[in-house]
Amino acid sequence: MDAGASVLLRRIAQITDAEPSREALASSAAGGRRVTYRELWTAVEQLAVRLRERGLEPGDRVALILGNQIEAAFAWYATWLAGGVVVPLNAQARAPDFARWLAHAEARFVVFEAGNADVLAALATMPSPPARVLVENAGFTLPEERLPSASPSPEGLAVVLYTSGTTGHPKGVMLSHENLTTNVDGIVRYLALTPADSTVTVLPFYYSYGASVLHTHLTTGARLVIEPNLVFPHVVVETIAKEKVSGFSGVPSTFALMLSRVKLEKYDLGSLRYLTQAGGGMPPALTQRVRAAFPDARLFVMYGQTEATARLTYLPPERLDEKLGGVGIPVPGVTIEVRREDGSRAGVRETGHVHARGKSIMLGFWKDPEQTARVLRDGWLDTGDMGFLDADGFLFLAGRRSDMIKTGAHRIHPAELEEVIHELEGIAEVAVVGVEDEVLGQAIKAFVVPKTSIEPHVIKAHCQKRLAVYKIPKFIELVTSLPKTASGKVQRAVLAKKNAPEESS
């Protein structure tokens, strides 16, 4: 392969040449399909040929609307090999979103499964729709030729990742090949990944966390076992045990669901070497339960953002007890700084605005220089998060600025309240938001998913023991689930729009 080609692609090609029969991908769907590195690379080359033959030029955007499936991996790497830019879109979205994203990205091609009615409906509304590349019968129709690789520069655009925002305006994060390589290298280093590792992944590849799991494992010669989703958590646990994987990654709700719905003691999970958690803060009580449930696995609590490729910090497992509630130290190559409102550096344990710098920080937002200028200044990313650094340089988060509840004269971070409610044994999940209040501006409301029978007054009584009066939720609503994005993050804006019930006693 050309020396100028994507570093990540070169690594996969080298693994293929050295160990072509090594298993790269497996899927519990489609009859338990398995793919070697040779088969992976052959499919990548052939799909790249097809894209080139149909007119793909270097820098063209290729939208991928695919669920968690083997073809999604083929499409990521084939796009790069052909010289294109990957635009992975949330496969669970509907036609209006697809049409808006495709138009905004100016996609030349769209890769999707035949018969996807929402994609077809979106294309029908577009004056100049992108060319279609279909996945049919668990695969592509591919030519037999091989393709000389394209040679993107390290600084060249590799991915445009659309993030979930609070407005309808598309927000596409631009990541370079260097961004991806730098972040992959940092994660591989602290996880100590080797070709002997393997993982079950339920995280979609159109989400930065899921894409990170894909790239870190395939570029080290490790193996990914794809589970399409977490609808049936016991099936995921069965796959972990059956495949004897060494790793598993999830967001807080992933682990909460597994702990509340699966009798983990029934399964042999001794093969697990590591667990990783990101995609939102995990309350300390849940962290402790996860560690107790998987005593032989090293638990890495992590923090990141799409705007930083994936990962910003990680908490070394051996420091978990000492730094419980923190998100750790910067990933190699990243610098973290906490600043006051005036931009000066905050003191030890002084809460302020979290900023990050490093080669994994995005190029900017696609076609949005104004928003880019608001969050990128002098090489620093304003993450939008609040937090503090302790005397050892470990980061502790206090929540998103946009999530802050303004009740009366007080400013309250939901994470603090959620941690307290999570201390109760009968709690599976909880989300705290501010709801409109004529007197206070906002009142505090807690949405609680119980895993055992529990009454709202019990939750409120616990809060009264642990929190200042102004932090006690005015409303507590028991629900069966919390609204989430495809990546598993709680949609606080959706909860905040719900009408407050009569006050719980």
Side-chain angles (χ1 to χ4, degrees):
M1 177 178 283
D2 190 302
S6 161
V7 171
L8 301 185
L9 275 180
R10 280 210 311 275
R11 290 176 184 171
I12 296 174
Q14 288 165 356
I15 295 164
T16 300
D17 289 341
E19 296 186 81
S21 61
R22 172 178 287 278
E23 188 171 295
L25 296 160
S27 174
S28 62
R33 185 176 168 203
R34 295 180 183 272
V35 174
T36 65
Y37 272 86
R38 169 54 64 199
E39 291 166 336
L40 163 66
W41 191 251
T42 298
V44 166
E45 285 188 315
Q46 291 176 349
L47 180 55
V49 167
R50 183 176 175 188
L51 290 169
R52 284 278 193 89
E53 287 179 342
R54 296 189 60 186
L56 183 143
E57 298 289 340
D60 282 348
R61 273 75 59 204
V62 179
L64 312 183
I65 305 178
L66 298 168
N68 247 23
Q69 59 194 101
I70 287 173
E71 284 74 23
F74 294 169
W76 265 86
Y77 300 126
T79 298
W80 287 345
L81 190 62
V85 175
V86 176
V87 184
L89 301 180
N90 184 344
Q92 297 182 30
R94 304 304 298 268
D97 284 324
F98 290 144
R100 184 164 57 247
W101 290 328
L102 290 169
H104 187 259
E106 299 174 332
R108 281 285 310 278
F109 295 87
V110 56
V111 183
F112 65 102
E113 288 192 277
N116 187 320
D118 279 290
V119 178
L120 295 172
L123 296 176
T125 67
M126 299 180 68
S128 301
R132 308 176 187 188
V133 179
L134 300 180
V135 179
E136 299 181 272
N137 300 318
F140 297 100
T141 302
L142 299 171
E144 293 300 324
E145 301 97 311
R146 298 185 64 176
L147 177 80
S149 66
S151 301
S153 68
E155 299 80 16
L157 184 60
V159 184
V160 177
L161 266 170
Y162 283 91
T163 66
S164 53
T166 55
T167 70
H169 181 66
K171 186 179 173 185
V173 173
M174 297 189 294
L175 300 176
S176 70
H177 287 280
E178 183 180 44
N179 290 155
L180 291 159
T181 301
T182 300
N183 213 231
V184 163
D185 287 348
I187 296 167
V188 168
R189 179 174 163 185
Y190 70 73
L191 289 182
L193 292 178
T194 74
D197 282 306
S198 56
T199 188
V200 167
T201 180
V202 296
L203 300 165
F205 298 145
Y206 50 78
Y207 165 42
S208 63
Y209 191 5
S212 173
V213 171
L214 174 70
H215 303 321
T216 53
H217 285 74
L218 288 188
T219 59
T220 55
R223 177 174 67 111
L224 271 83
V225 181
I226 301 170
E227 277 287 346
N229 54 57
L230 199 66
V231 173
F232 302 107
H234 70 280
V235 174
V236 175
V237 176
E238 286 173 359
T239 302
I240 291 173
K242 177 184 174 183
E243 296 287 340
K244 297 188 181 305
V245 296
S246 59
F248 180 74
S249 301
V251 298
S253 60
T254 304
F255 292 107
L257 195 61
M258 291 172 72
L259 294 183
S260 64
R261 298 192 183 178
V262 183
K263 295 185 183 299
L264 296 174
E265 64 275 9
K266 291 175 55 179
Y267 300 91
D268 178 4
L269 303 176
S271 64
L272 284 173
R273 178 179 71 80
Y274 65 92
L275 301 172
T276 71
Q277 175 272 315
M282 190 153 76
L286 180 57
T287 299
Q288 291 173 315
R289 289 173 194 159
V290 170
R291 190 171 57 171
F294 300 92
D296 298 325
R298 303 183 75 214
L299 174 59
F300 289 83
V301 172
M302 311 185 304
Y303 161 61
Q305 288 194 333
T306 303
E307 291 87 342
T309 304
R311 204 62 48 234
L312 283 168
T313 68
Y314 72 101
L315 179 55
E318 61 272 14
R319 307 292 295 273
L320 194 57
D321 285 330
E322 177 191 356
K323 305 293 184 180
L324 189 63
V327 293
I329 55 177
V331 170
V334 171
T335 302
I336 297 291
E337 195 172 278
V338 177
R339 299 178 181 176
R340 302 184 181 100
E341 289 288 345
D342 64 5
S344 61
R345 187 178 298 183
V348 172
R349 303 192 73 84
E350 180 184 355
T351 298
H353 304 270
V354 179
H355 288 68
R357 181 174 64 182
K359 291 185 178 180
S360 61
I361 301 301
M362 68 172 180
L363 302 175
F365 295 112
W366 175 258
K367 294 170 61 178
D368 197 341
E370 292 183 4
Q371 179 64 14
T372 298
R374 279 194 285 271
V375 301
L376 283 181
R377 290 184 291 275
D378 301 321
W380 287 91
L381 169 69
D382 181 348
T383 67
D385 289 317
M386 304 293 289
F388 66 83
L389 292 168
D390 72 5
D392 298 321
F394 282 66
L395 180 64
F396 289 73
L397 296 177
R400 298 285 295 171
R401 286 200 296 274
S402 58
D403 291 338
M404 187 183 293
I405 300 170
K406 302 173 183 178
T407 178
H410 303 289
R411 300 294 182 268
I412 299 164
H413 293 291
E416 179 185 0
L417 282 62
E418 291 165 358
E419 288 178 8
V420 168
I421 295 173
H422 255 295
E423 292 171 353
L424 291 164
E425 284 294 329
I427 306 300
E429 293 185 273
V430 60
V432 173
V433 301
V435 295
E436 290 186 14
D437 185 274
E438 291 183 1
V439 176
L440 298 172
Q442 285 185 308
I444 301 170
K445 181 174 181 180
F447 292 86
V448 177
V449 180
K451 62 181 178 182
T452 59
S453 179
I454 191 168
E455 295 296 327
H457 73 268
V458 173
I459 299 170
K460 182 166 286 191
H462 178 71
C463 291
Q464 289 169 339
K465 294 177 183 177
R466 299 277 286 108
L467 296 168
V469 172
Y470 63 87
K471 295 181 180 180
I472 298 169
K474 183 177 182 181
F475 305 105
I476 296 175
E477 182 175 344
L478 302 181
V479 295
T480 57
S481 63
L482 299 175
K484 299 185 180 75
T485 65
S487 62
K489 291 184 179 180
V490 174
Q491 295 177 303
R492 294 181 189 274
V494 174
L495 292 173
K497 290 179 182 178
K498 295 186 67 174
N499 293 325
E502 292 298 318
E503 183 174 352
S504 305
S505 59

